[in-house]
Amino acid sequence: MTSEENIKLAELLFGHEELKIPAYYEALYPYRELGNKAEVTRLAPSPTGFIHLGNLYSALVDERVAHTSDGVFYLRIEDTDAKRKVEGAVDLIIDSLRYFDIEFDEGAGYDDADPVNAYGPYVQTERVEIYHTFAKKLVEEGKAYPCFCTEEELSGIREEQEAAKLLTGYYGEYAICRNWTFDQYKEAFDAGRPYVLRFRSDGSPDKEFIFKDEIKGEVKLPENIHDIVLLKKDGIPTYHFAHAVDDHFMRTTLVVRGTEWLASAPIHVQLFNALGFKLPKYAHTAHMMKIDPETDGKRKLSKRNDPEMSLAYYREEGFHPHCIKVYLLTLLNSNFEEWHKQNPDKNINEFPFSVKNMNNSGALFDMDKLENICKNELSQLQVIEVYDFLADWAHRYEPEKKKIWFADEAKITDIIMLYMGVGQKRRRKDLVNAKQAFDQFSIFFNEFRKQEEDFKLPAEDVKTILKEYLESFDYNDDNQKWFDKISAIAERNGFATDRKAYKADPESFRGDVSDVATTVRIAVTGRSNTPDLWSIIQIIGLEEMESRINSVIKGE
Ligand code: GLU
Protein backbone atom coordinates (compact mmCIF):
# COMPACT_ATOMS: atom_id res chain seq x y z
CA MET A 1 0.00 0.00 0.00
CA THR A 2 1.14 3.57 -0.70
CA SER A 3 1.28 6.22 2.00
CA GLU A 4 -1.91 7.77 0.63
CA GLU A 5 -3.64 4.41 0.89
CA ASN A 6 -2.49 4.03 4.47
CA ILE A 7 -4.07 7.38 5.28
CA LYS A 8 -7.24 6.36 3.45
CA LEU A 9 -7.31 3.09 5.41
CA ALA A 10 -6.92 4.96 8.71
CA GLU A 11 -9.79 7.21 7.70
CA LEU A 12 -11.90 4.22 6.73
CA LEU A 13 -11.37 2.56 10.11
CA PHE A 14 -11.47 5.58 12.42
CA GLY A 15 -13.05 8.36 10.34
CA HIS A 16 -16.40 7.98 12.06
CA GLU A 17 -14.85 8.71 15.47
CA GLU A 18 -14.11 12.22 16.57
CA LEU A 19 -10.53 11.73 17.56
CA LYS A 20 -7.98 14.24 18.74
CA ILE A 21 -4.55 14.44 17.12
CA PRO A 22 -1.54 12.86 18.89
CA ALA A 23 -0.01 16.26 19.68
CA TYR A 24 -3.09 17.07 21.75
CA TYR A 25 -2.24 14.35 24.25
CA GLU A 26 1.46 15.22 24.30
CA ALA A 27 0.42 18.71 25.38
CA LEU A 28 -2.34 17.55 27.74
CA TYR A 29 0.00 15.23 29.63
CA PRO A 30 3.32 17.09 29.84
CA TYR A 31 6.41 15.57 31.40
CA ARG A 32 6.07 15.86 35.14
CA GLU A 33 7.94 18.59 36.91
CA LEU A 34 9.90 16.52 39.37
CA GLY A 35 13.50 16.34 40.56
CA ASN A 36 15.86 14.51 38.22
CA LYS A 37 16.12 11.48 40.51
CA ALA A 38 12.35 11.22 40.97
CA GLU A 39 10.68 8.04 39.77
CA VAL A 40 7.08 7.76 38.65
CA THR A 41 5.74 4.28 39.34
CA ARG A 42 2.36 2.66 39.18
CA LEU A 43 0.42 -0.35 40.27
CA ALA A 44 -1.68 -1.58 37.38
CA PRO A 45 -3.89 -4.41 38.59
CA SER A 46 -6.85 -5.94 36.83
CA PRO A 47 -9.99 -5.48 38.93
CA THR A 48 -10.55 -9.18 39.52
CA GLY A 49 -11.71 -8.91 43.13
CA PHE A 50 -8.70 -10.83 44.42
CA ILE A 51 -5.66 -9.09 45.77
CA HIS A 52 -2.67 -11.15 46.73
CA LEU A 53 0.73 -11.07 48.34
CA GLY A 54 2.41 -10.67 44.94
CA ASN A 55 0.42 -7.46 44.40
CA LEU A 56 1.49 -6.14 47.77
CA TYR A 57 5.09 -7.15 47.11
CA SER A 58 5.08 -5.23 43.81
CA ALA A 59 3.16 -2.32 45.29
CA LEU A 60 5.71 -1.97 48.05
CA VAL A 61 8.52 -1.76 45.49
CA ASP A 62 6.59 0.88 43.53
CA GLU A 63 5.67 2.83 46.63
CA ARG A 64 9.16 2.77 48.15
CA VAL A 65 10.88 3.68 44.89
CA ALA A 66 8.52 6.59 44.28
CA HIS A 67 8.52 7.91 47.81
CA THR A 68 12.22 7.58 48.52
CA SER A 69 12.94 9.55 45.33
CA ASP A 70 10.28 12.26 45.84
CA GLY A 71 8.43 10.86 42.88
CA VAL A 72 4.83 9.79 42.30
CA PHE A 73 3.05 6.48 42.81
CA TYR A 74 -0.31 6.07 41.13
CA LEU A 75 -3.00 3.44 40.64
CA ARG A 76 -4.17 2.46 37.17
CA ILE A 77 -6.94 -0.02 36.65
CA GLU A 78 -6.41 -2.42 33.76
CA ASP A 79 -9.95 -3.50 33.03
CA THR A 80 -9.70 -4.40 29.36
CA ASP A 81 -10.73 -7.97 30.07
CA ALA A 82 -14.44 -7.63 30.76
CA LYS A 83 -14.73 -11.28 31.83
CA ARG A 84 -12.45 -10.77 34.82
CA LYS A 85 -14.03 -7.54 36.06
CA VAL A 86 -15.64 -7.63 39.50
CA GLU A 87 -17.81 -4.99 41.13
CA GLY A 88 -16.14 -3.21 44.06
CA ALA A 89 -12.67 -4.44 43.11
CA VAL A 90 -11.11 -0.98 43.00
CA ASP A 91 -12.21 -0.15 46.54
CA LEU A 92 -10.94 -3.53 47.65
CA ILE A 93 -7.50 -2.85 46.14
CA ILE A 94 -7.25 0.60 47.71
CA ASP A 95 -8.54 -0.53 51.09
CA SER A 96 -6.36 -3.66 51.24
CA LEU A 97 -3.21 -1.77 50.37
CA ARG A 98 -4.02 1.10 52.72
CA TYR A 99 -4.13 -1.44 55.56
CA PHE A 100 -0.49 -2.18 54.74
CA ASP A 101 0.40 1.51 54.70
CA ILE A 102 0.56 1.73 50.91
CA GLU A 103 -1.03 4.99 49.77
CA PHE A 104 -1.33 6.18 46.21
CA ASP A 105 -0.58 9.79 45.31
CA GLU A 106 -2.95 9.83 42.36
CA GLY A 107 -5.00 7.64 40.09
CA ALA A 108 -8.06 5.47 40.50
CA GLY A 109 -9.67 6.18 43.84
CA TYR A 110 -9.24 9.95 43.52
CA ASP A 111 -11.80 11.99 41.66
CA ASP A 112 -10.61 12.85 38.17
CA ALA A 113 -11.66 16.44 38.85
CA ASP A 114 -9.15 16.49 41.74
CA PRO A 115 -6.02 18.39 40.64
CA VAL A 116 -3.82 15.43 41.69
CA ASN A 117 -5.36 13.44 38.87
CA ALA A 118 -3.85 15.41 36.01
CA TYR A 119 -2.91 12.33 33.99
CA GLY A 120 -6.26 10.59 33.99
CA PRO A 121 -8.56 8.94 33.39
CA TYR A 122 -6.82 6.05 35.15
CA VAL A 123 -9.24 3.30 34.17
CA GLN A 124 -8.36 1.81 30.81
CA THR A 125 -11.89 1.39 29.47
CA GLU A 126 -12.31 5.17 29.92
CA ARG A 127 -9.30 5.82 27.68
CA VAL A 128 -10.47 4.20 24.45
CA GLU A 129 -10.38 7.50 22.58
CA ILE A 130 -6.70 7.92 23.38
CA TYR A 131 -5.84 4.40 22.22
CA HIS A 132 -7.76 4.93 18.99
CA THR A 133 -5.89 8.15 18.28
CA PHE A 134 -2.63 6.24 18.37
CA ALA A 135 -4.00 3.19 16.60
CA LYS A 136 -5.07 5.49 13.80
CA LYS A 137 -1.62 7.05 13.71
CA LEU A 138 -0.01 3.62 13.36
CA VAL A 139 -2.34 2.73 10.48
CA GLU A 140 -1.55 6.04 8.77
CA GLU A 141 2.13 5.22 9.02
CA GLY A 142 1.67 1.68 7.67
CA LYS A 143 2.57 0.18 11.08
CA ALA A 144 -0.79 -1.41 11.79
CA TYR A 145 -3.52 -3.02 9.72
CA PRO A 146 -6.94 -4.58 10.20
CA CYS A 147 -7.10 -8.36 10.23
CA PHE A 148 -10.36 -9.97 9.24
CA CYS A 149 -9.31 -13.57 9.84
CA THR A 150 -11.97 -15.72 11.42
CA GLU A 151 -11.37 -18.11 14.33
CA GLU A 152 -11.43 -20.98 11.84
CA GLU A 153 -8.81 -19.37 9.64
CA LEU A 154 -6.59 -18.72 12.67
CA SER A 155 -6.83 -22.29 13.89
CA GLY A 156 -6.17 -23.49 10.31
CA ILE A 157 -2.94 -21.47 10.33
CA ARG A 158 -2.00 -22.90 13.72
CA GLU A 159 -2.57 -26.48 12.60
CA GLU A 160 -0.51 -25.96 9.48
CA GLN A 161 2.35 -24.51 11.54
CA GLU A 162 2.16 -27.31 14.07
CA ALA A 163 2.24 -29.94 11.33
CA ALA A 164 5.33 -28.28 9.86
CA LYS A 165 6.85 -27.99 13.34
CA LEU A 166 7.06 -24.23 13.00
CA LEU A 167 6.58 -21.45 15.50
CA THR A 168 2.86 -20.85 15.83
CA GLY A 169 1.44 -17.37 15.48
CA TYR A 170 0.44 -14.64 13.11
CA TYR A 171 3.65 -13.61 11.36
CA GLY A 172 5.46 -13.46 8.02
CA GLU A 173 3.77 -15.41 5.25
CA TYR A 174 1.12 -16.67 7.69
CA ALA A 175 -0.07 -13.15 8.35
CA ILE A 176 -2.69 -13.34 5.61
CA CYS A 177 -4.17 -9.87 5.98
CA ARG A 178 -0.81 -8.16 6.35
CA ASN A 179 -0.29 -7.55 2.66
CA TRP A 180 -3.81 -6.98 1.44
CA THR A 181 -4.52 -4.15 -0.96
CA PHE A 182 -6.54 -1.15 0.09
CA ASP A 183 -9.46 -2.47 -1.94
CA GLN A 184 -9.42 -5.79 -0.11
CA TYR A 185 -9.51 -4.04 3.26
CA LYS A 186 -12.28 -1.74 2.08
CA GLU A 187 -14.38 -4.54 0.75
CA ALA A 188 -14.17 -6.54 3.97
CA PHE A 189 -14.78 -3.42 6.06
CA ASP A 190 -17.77 -2.32 3.98
CA ALA A 191 -19.19 -5.81 4.26
CA GLY A 192 -19.21 -5.29 8.03
CA ARG A 193 -16.84 -8.15 8.75
CA PRO A 194 -15.44 -8.04 12.27
CA TYR A 195 -11.73 -7.33 12.56
CA VAL A 196 -8.92 -6.81 15.01
CA LEU A 197 -6.19 -4.27 14.52
CA ARG A 198 -2.73 -5.81 14.25
CA PHE A 199 0.72 -4.38 14.59
CA ARG A 200 2.93 -4.80 11.53
CA SER A 201 6.08 -6.22 13.11
CA ASP A 202 9.41 -5.42 11.51
CA GLY A 203 11.25 -7.88 13.79
CA SER A 204 13.54 -10.49 12.36
CA PRO A 205 13.42 -14.14 13.57
CA ASP A 206 17.17 -14.45 13.92
CA LYS A 207 17.92 -11.14 15.60
CA GLU A 208 18.42 -10.64 19.30
CA PHE A 209 18.76 -7.47 21.28
CA ILE A 210 19.92 -6.51 24.74
CA PHE A 211 17.18 -5.53 27.15
CA LYS A 212 18.20 -3.70 30.29
CA ASP A 213 16.24 -4.76 33.33
CA GLU A 214 16.76 -2.88 36.59
CA ILE A 215 16.78 -6.10 38.61
CA LYS A 216 18.04 -8.74 36.22
CA GLY A 217 20.64 -6.58 34.49
CA GLU A 218 21.19 -7.09 30.77
CA VAL A 219 19.03 -9.81 29.26
CA LYS A 220 19.32 -11.09 25.70
CA LEU A 221 15.91 -11.35 24.05
CA PRO A 222 14.80 -12.32 20.54
CA GLU A 223 13.12 -9.66 18.43
CA ASN A 224 9.37 -9.97 18.18
CA ILE A 225 8.15 -11.19 14.81
CA HIS A 226 4.45 -11.58 15.59
CA ASP A 227 1.85 -9.19 14.26
CA ILE A 228 0.26 -8.93 17.67
CA VAL A 229 -3.24 -7.60 18.24
CA LEU A 230 -3.44 -3.95 19.29
CA LEU A 231 -7.21 -3.53 19.35
CA LYS A 232 -9.63 -6.37 19.86
CA LYS A 233 -12.79 -6.78 17.80
CA ASP A 234 -14.69 -4.49 20.16
CA GLY A 235 -12.05 -1.76 19.82
CA ILE A 236 -10.69 -2.35 23.32
CA PRO A 237 -6.88 -2.49 23.42
CA THR A 238 -4.77 -5.44 24.47
CA TYR A 239 -2.47 -5.15 27.46
CA HIS A 240 0.53 -4.55 25.18
CA PHE A 241 -0.91 -1.56 23.40
CA ALA A 242 -2.57 -0.02 26.44
CA HIS A 243 0.66 -0.41 28.43
CA ALA A 244 2.67 1.55 25.85
CA VAL A 245 0.13 4.35 25.54
CA ASP A 246 -0.63 4.63 29.25
CA ASP A 247 2.86 4.44 30.64
CA HIS A 248 3.95 7.01 28.09
CA PHE A 249 1.18 9.49 28.80
CA MET A 250 1.08 8.97 32.51
CA ARG A 251 4.80 9.64 32.32
CA THR A 252 5.84 6.51 34.16
CA THR A 253 9.61 6.33 34.53
CA LEU A 254 9.91 2.85 36.02
CA VAL A 255 7.60 -0.08 35.24
CA VAL A 256 7.69 -2.65 38.02
CA ARG A 257 5.82 -5.79 37.03
CA GLY A 258 5.88 -9.56 37.38
CA THR A 259 8.57 -11.58 35.68
CA GLU A 260 5.92 -13.27 33.51
CA TRP A 261 5.93 -10.07 31.41
CA LEU A 262 9.62 -10.23 30.57
CA ALA A 263 8.95 -12.46 27.56
CA SER A 264 6.67 -9.75 26.14
CA ALA A 265 9.30 -7.02 26.54
CA PRO A 266 10.38 -7.37 22.85
CA ILE A 267 6.83 -6.48 21.82
CA HIS A 268 6.83 -3.47 24.10
CA VAL A 269 10.19 -2.17 22.92
CA GLN A 270 8.94 -2.42 19.33
CA LEU A 271 5.68 -0.67 20.16
CA PHE A 272 7.34 2.21 22.01
CA ASN A 273 9.67 2.69 19.02
CA ALA A 274 6.86 2.54 16.49
CA LEU A 275 4.86 5.07 18.49
CA GLY A 276 7.88 7.33 18.89
CA PHE A 277 7.71 7.08 22.69
CA LYS A 278 10.69 7.00 25.02
CA LEU A 279 10.99 3.58 26.66
CA PRO A 280 10.59 3.65 30.46
CA LYS A 281 12.91 1.65 32.72
CA TYR A 282 11.67 -1.82 33.60
CA ALA A 283 12.06 -3.94 36.72
CA HIS A 284 10.67 -7.47 36.45
CA THR A 285 10.09 -8.87 39.92
CA ALA A 286 10.59 -12.54 40.71
CA HIS A 287 7.68 -14.77 41.64
CA MET A 288 6.81 -15.52 45.22
CA MET A 289 7.83 -19.08 45.91
CA LYS A 290 7.42 -21.38 48.85
CA ILE A 291 8.78 -24.72 49.91
CA ASP A 292 6.10 -27.29 49.28
CA PRO A 293 5.66 -29.21 52.53
CA GLU A 294 4.87 -32.38 50.59
CA THR A 295 7.71 -32.46 48.09
CA ASP A 296 10.19 -30.23 49.93
CA GLY A 297 10.80 -28.52 46.59
CA LYS A 298 10.29 -24.87 45.65
CA ARG A 299 7.10 -23.90 43.89
CA LYS A 300 5.12 -20.79 43.06
CA LEU A 301 2.68 -19.61 45.72
CA SER A 302 -0.73 -20.41 44.35
CA LYS A 303 -4.03 -18.65 44.76
CA ARG A 304 -5.87 -21.94 44.88
CA ASN A 305 -3.68 -23.97 47.24
CA ASP A 306 -2.13 -21.43 49.57
CA PRO A 307 -4.43 -19.37 51.79
CA GLU A 308 -1.43 -17.20 52.68
CA MET A 309 -1.39 -15.92 49.09
CA SER A 310 -4.46 -13.79 49.73
CA LEU A 311 -4.02 -10.44 51.47
CA ALA A 312 -7.35 -10.93 53.20
CA TYR A 313 -5.74 -13.83 55.06
CA TYR A 314 -3.28 -11.54 56.86
CA ARG A 315 -6.02 -9.20 57.92
CA GLU A 316 -8.29 -11.95 59.12
CA GLU A 317 -5.52 -13.62 61.10
CA GLY A 318 -4.62 -10.23 62.51
CA PHE A 319 -1.05 -9.89 61.32
CA HIS A 320 0.11 -6.41 62.19
CA PRO A 321 0.73 -4.53 58.92
CA HIS A 322 4.04 -3.20 60.21
CA CYS A 323 5.32 -6.78 60.62
CA ILE A 324 4.25 -7.73 57.11
CA LYS A 325 6.02 -4.69 55.77
CA VAL A 326 9.20 -5.52 57.68
CA TYR A 327 9.00 -9.06 56.35
CA LEU A 328 8.50 -7.99 52.74
CA LEU A 329 11.33 -5.47 52.96
CA THR A 330 13.54 -8.27 54.31
CA LEU A 331 12.65 -10.33 51.23
CA LEU A 332 13.01 -7.42 48.85
CA ASN A 333 16.32 -5.86 49.85
CA SER A 334 19.09 -8.08 51.13
CA ASN A 335 20.58 -5.26 53.23
CA PHE A 336 17.33 -4.30 54.97
CA GLU A 337 17.55 -6.77 57.85
CA GLU A 338 20.98 -5.53 58.87
CA TRP A 339 19.90 -1.89 58.56
CA HIS A 340 16.80 -2.50 60.66
CA LYS A 341 18.86 -4.23 63.35
CA GLN A 342 21.30 -1.36 63.47
CA ASN A 343 18.59 1.29 63.43
CA PRO A 344 15.89 -0.14 65.67
CA ASP A 345 14.47 3.27 66.47
CA LYS A 346 14.28 4.55 62.94
CA ASN A 347 11.05 4.41 60.99
CA ILE A 348 11.41 1.67 58.35
CA ASN A 349 10.41 4.22 55.72
CA GLU A 350 13.82 5.81 56.25
CA PHE A 351 15.53 2.72 54.82
CA PRO A 352 17.24 3.65 51.53
CA PHE A 353 15.34 1.18 49.37
CA SER A 354 16.90 0.32 46.04
CA VAL A 355 15.71 -1.77 43.11
CA LYS A 356 19.36 -2.60 42.47
CA ASN A 357 19.49 -4.57 45.72
CA MET A 358 16.55 -6.75 44.80
CA ASN A 359 16.94 -10.47 44.63
CA ASN A 360 16.84 -11.83 41.12
CA SER A 361 16.28 -15.47 41.91
CA GLY A 362 12.80 -15.50 43.37
CA ALA A 363 11.40 -14.48 46.71
CA LEU A 364 10.99 -17.43 48.99
CA PHE A 365 8.00 -16.98 51.26
CA ASP A 366 8.59 -18.53 54.65
CA MET A 367 5.83 -18.48 57.25
CA ASP A 368 8.21 -19.34 60.12
CA LYS A 369 10.39 -16.39 59.25
CA LEU A 370 7.33 -14.13 59.06
CA GLU A 371 6.15 -15.34 62.47
CA ASN A 372 9.56 -14.71 63.98
CA ILE A 373 9.57 -11.21 62.60
CA CYS A 374 6.10 -10.68 64.06
CA LYS A 375 7.24 -11.85 67.49
CA ASN A 376 10.21 -9.51 67.41
CA GLU A 377 8.44 -6.51 66.03
CA LEU A 378 5.36 -6.77 68.24
CA SER A 379 7.52 -7.06 71.34
CA GLN A 380 9.18 -3.76 70.39
CA LEU A 381 6.01 -1.76 69.84
CA GLN A 382 4.49 0.58 72.43
CA VAL A 383 1.81 -1.02 74.59
CA ILE A 384 -0.74 1.48 73.33
CA GLU A 385 0.01 0.54 69.72
CA VAL A 386 -0.56 -3.14 70.42
CA TYR A 387 -3.68 -2.30 72.43
CA ASP A 388 -5.16 -0.20 69.62
CA PHE A 389 -4.26 -2.76 67.00
CA LEU A 390 -5.89 -5.61 68.93
CA ALA A 391 -8.96 -3.53 69.72
CA ASP A 392 -9.41 -2.60 66.04
CA TRP A 393 -8.97 -6.18 64.92
CA ALA A 394 -11.43 -7.46 67.52
CA HIS A 395 -13.93 -4.80 66.58
CA ARG A 396 -14.04 -6.32 63.12
CA TYR A 397 -13.41 -10.02 63.71
CA GLU A 398 -14.33 -10.75 67.34
CA PRO A 399 -16.97 -8.18 68.28
CA GLU A 400 -18.15 -10.10 71.34
CA LYS A 401 -14.66 -10.33 72.79
CA LYS A 402 -14.11 -6.69 71.95
CA LYS A 403 -17.14 -5.76 73.99
CA ILE A 404 -16.39 -7.91 77.01
CA TRP A 405 -12.60 -8.03 77.14
CA PHE A 406 -12.02 -4.39 76.44
CA ALA A 407 -14.70 -3.22 78.88
CA ASP A 408 -12.07 -3.40 81.62
CA GLU A 409 -9.28 -1.36 80.03
CA ALA A 410 -6.87 -1.79 82.93
CA LYS A 411 -7.21 -5.56 82.88
CA ILE A 412 -6.67 -5.99 79.14
CA THR A 413 -3.73 -3.56 79.33
CA ASP A 414 -2.16 -5.66 82.09
CA ILE A 415 -2.63 -8.76 79.98
CA ILE A 416 -1.00 -7.19 76.93
CA MET A 417 1.88 -5.93 79.07
CA LEU A 418 2.36 -9.39 80.52
CA TYR A 419 2.55 -11.01 77.08
CA MET A 420 4.92 -8.31 75.84
CA GLY A 421 7.10 -8.69 78.93
CA VAL A 422 6.89 -4.99 79.76
CA GLY A 423 8.77 -4.28 82.98
CA GLN A 424 10.61 -7.60 82.82
CA LYS A 425 14.36 -7.95 82.22
CA ARG A 426 13.73 -8.70 78.59
CA ARG A 427 10.67 -8.25 76.41
CA ARG A 428 8.71 -11.47 75.79
CA LYS A 429 8.15 -12.62 72.23
CA ASP A 430 4.85 -14.37 72.69
CA LEU A 431 2.62 -12.49 70.31
CA VAL A 432 2.46 -13.41 66.63
CA ASN A 433 -0.85 -12.04 65.45
CA ALA A 434 -4.20 -10.95 66.85
CA LYS A 435 -5.91 -14.28 66.40
CA GLN A 436 -3.16 -16.11 68.24
CA ALA A 437 -3.05 -13.36 70.92
CA PHE A 438 -6.78 -13.67 71.53
CA ASP A 439 -6.47 -17.40 71.82
CA GLN A 440 -3.82 -16.93 74.50
CA PHE A 441 -5.73 -14.19 76.31
CA SER A 442 -8.81 -16.41 76.66
CA ILE A 443 -7.35 -17.89 79.85
CA PHE A 444 -8.22 -14.63 81.61
CA PHE A 445 -11.90 -14.70 80.77
CA ASN A 446 -13.93 -17.41 82.35
CA GLU A 447 -16.67 -17.63 79.79
CA PHE A 448 -14.11 -18.07 76.97
CA ARG A 449 -11.65 -20.28 78.82
CA LYS A 450 -11.31 -23.95 78.01
CA GLN A 451 -9.56 -26.76 79.83
CA GLU A 452 -7.14 -27.28 76.94
CA GLU A 453 -4.82 -29.78 78.54
CA ASP A 454 -5.06 -32.75 80.84
CA PHE A 455 -3.06 -33.02 84.02
CA LYS A 456 0.20 -34.90 83.73
CA LEU A 457 0.04 -36.39 87.24
CA PRO A 458 -2.45 -38.94 88.63
CA ALA A 459 -5.75 -37.45 89.83
CA GLU A 460 -5.00 -38.11 93.53
CA ASP A 461 -1.68 -36.24 93.34
CA VAL A 462 -3.37 -33.38 91.53
CA LYS A 463 -5.93 -33.07 94.33
CA THR A 464 -3.33 -33.23 97.09
CA ILE A 465 -1.13 -30.61 95.42
CA LEU A 466 -4.03 -28.27 94.76
CA LYS A 467 -5.42 -28.56 98.28
CA GLU A 468 -2.03 -27.84 99.82
CA TYR A 469 -1.61 -24.99 97.38
CA LEU A 470 -4.85 -23.35 98.42
CA GLU A 471 -4.09 -23.81 102.08
CA SER A 472 -0.75 -22.06 101.89
CA PHE A 473 -1.69 -19.44 99.29
CA ASP A 474 -1.62 -15.78 100.24
CA TYR A 475 -2.59 -13.22 97.59
CA ASN A 476 -0.14 -10.77 99.08
CA ASP A 477 2.91 -12.99 98.60
CA ASP A 478 5.39 -11.72 96.10
CA ASN A 479 6.52 -13.90 93.21
CA GLN A 480 9.46 -15.38 95.12
CA LYS A 481 7.50 -16.19 98.25
CA TRP A 482 4.74 -17.71 96.17
CA PHE A 483 7.23 -19.95 94.41
CA ASP A 484 8.91 -20.95 97.69
CA LYS A 485 5.54 -22.28 98.81
CA ILE A 486 5.25 -24.34 95.60
CA SER A 487 8.72 -25.73 96.34
CA ALA A 488 7.62 -26.63 99.83
CA ILE A 489 4.64 -28.56 98.42
CA ALA A 490 7.01 -30.32 96.03
CA GLU A 491 9.31 -31.35 98.84
CA ARG A 492 6.51 -32.60 101.10
CA ASN A 493 5.17 -34.80 98.30
CA GLY A 494 8.40 -36.39 97.13
CA PHE A 495 9.29 -34.08 94.22
CA ALA A 496 12.80 -32.64 93.88
CA THR A 497 12.95 -28.90 94.52
CA ASP A 498 15.33 -28.35 91.68
CA ARG A 499 15.73 -29.89 88.29
CA LYS A 500 19.40 -30.73 88.63
CA ALA A 501 18.84 -32.80 91.74
CA TYR A 502 16.09 -34.69 89.96
CA LYS A 503 18.20 -35.31 86.86
CA ALA A 504 21.10 -36.55 88.97
CA ASP A 505 18.97 -39.07 90.81
CA PRO A 506 15.59 -39.59 89.13
CA GLU A 507 14.89 -42.81 91.04
CA SER A 508 14.63 -41.00 94.37
CA PHE A 509 11.91 -38.56 93.28
CA ARG A 510 8.45 -38.61 91.76
CA GLY A 511 9.40 -35.68 89.59
CA ASP A 512 10.57 -32.17 90.21
CA VAL A 513 9.12 -28.83 91.26
CA SER A 514 8.14 -27.98 87.70
CA ASP A 515 5.64 -30.89 87.74
CA VAL A 516 4.00 -29.32 90.77
CA ALA A 517 4.00 -25.83 89.26
CA THR A 518 2.57 -27.23 86.02
CA THR A 519 -0.25 -28.88 87.95
CA VAL A 520 -1.22 -25.52 89.46
CA ARG A 521 -0.79 -23.84 86.09
CA ILE A 522 -3.10 -26.28 84.31
CA ALA A 523 -5.67 -25.96 87.11
CA VAL A 524 -5.67 -22.16 86.91
CA THR A 525 -5.29 -21.64 83.15
CA GLY A 526 -6.18 -24.93 81.47
CA ARG A 527 -2.76 -24.89 79.79
CA SER A 528 0.77 -25.96 80.60
CA ASN A 529 2.44 -23.18 78.67
CA THR A 530 1.69 -19.60 79.76
CA PRO A 531 3.58 -16.52 80.87
CA ASP A 532 4.47 -16.18 84.55
CA LEU A 533 1.71 -17.83 86.61
CA TRP A 534 2.03 -15.53 89.62
CA SER A 535 1.42 -12.54 87.33
CA ILE A 536 -1.58 -14.26 85.78
CA ILE A 537 -3.05 -14.80 89.24
CA GLN A 538 -2.50 -11.13 90.06
CA ILE A 539 -4.62 -10.25 87.05
CA ILE A 540 -7.48 -12.73 87.49
CA GLY A 541 -7.66 -12.14 91.26
CA LEU A 542 -7.97 -14.34 94.32
CA GLU A 543 -11.60 -15.31 93.98
CA GLU A 544 -11.33 -16.41 90.40
CA MET A 545 -8.21 -18.44 91.11
CA GLU A 546 -9.86 -20.18 94.09
CA SER A 547 -12.96 -20.97 92.16
CA ARG A 548 -10.99 -22.50 89.24
CA ILE A 549 -8.89 -24.64 91.57
CA ASN A 550 -11.85 -25.72 93.66
CA SER A 551 -13.72 -26.91 90.66
CA VAL A 552 -10.76 -29.13 89.71
CA ILE A 553 -10.60 -30.50 93.26
CA LYS A 554 -14.30 -31.23 93.16
CA GLY A 555 -13.83 -32.93 89.80
CA GLU A 556 -16.20 -30.57 87.98
N1 GLU B 1 -2.56 -5.69 34.52
C1 GLU B 1 -1.28 -6.34 34.50
C2 GLU B 1 -1.33 -7.47 35.51
O1 GLU B 1 -2.17 -7.43 36.38
C3 GLU B 1 -0.23 -5.35 34.89
C4 GLU B 1 1.14 -5.63 34.47
C5 GLU B 1 1.93 -4.34 34.64
O2 GLU B 1 2.13 -3.92 35.79
O3 GLU B 1 2.29 -3.73 33.63
O4 GLU B 1 -0.53 -8.39 35.42
Side-chain angles (χ1 to χ4, degrees), residues 42-46 55 76-78 84 124 239 243 247 255-258 260-261:
R42 84 296 194 272
L43 190 72
S46 299
N55 297 129
R76 179 170 74 229
I77 299 299
E78 305 212 327
R84 299 176 66 205
Q124 287 185 329
Y239 166 75
H243 153 52
D247 281 316
V255 171
V256 180
R257 63 183 180 186
E260 68 276 14
W261 292 110

